[in-house]
Amino acid sequence: MLLDPSNASQNYVEDCEVCCNPISLTMQFQSNELIAFTADNLEQ
């Protein structure tokens, strides 16, 4: 997965490359450095 630090706060949904289930991805960057990352399974 490629991360784009041009936007300081990001949240989007992407399908898992392994199981194809949707995952909510949240990232935060500061000075082009990743400072927070979460990945939550949206499949119930």
Side-chain angles (χ1 to χ4, degrees):
M1 174 184 308
L2 295 176
L3 305 180
D4 179 12
S6 65
N7 188 355
S9 181
Q10 303 175 37
N11 185 15
Y12 64 96
V13 174
E14 185 172 299
D15 288 337
C16 174
E17 295 176 8
V18 176
C19 67
C20 297
N21 288 336
I23 302 170
S24 173
L25 302 166
T26 304
M27 295 159 266
Q28 290 185 340
F29 295 91
Q30 185 174 12
S31 301
N32 289 330
E33 184 176 323
L34 182 65
I35 60 170
F37 180 89
T38 59
D40 298 313
N41 184 358
L42 295 178
E43 198 68 25
Q44 297 296 344

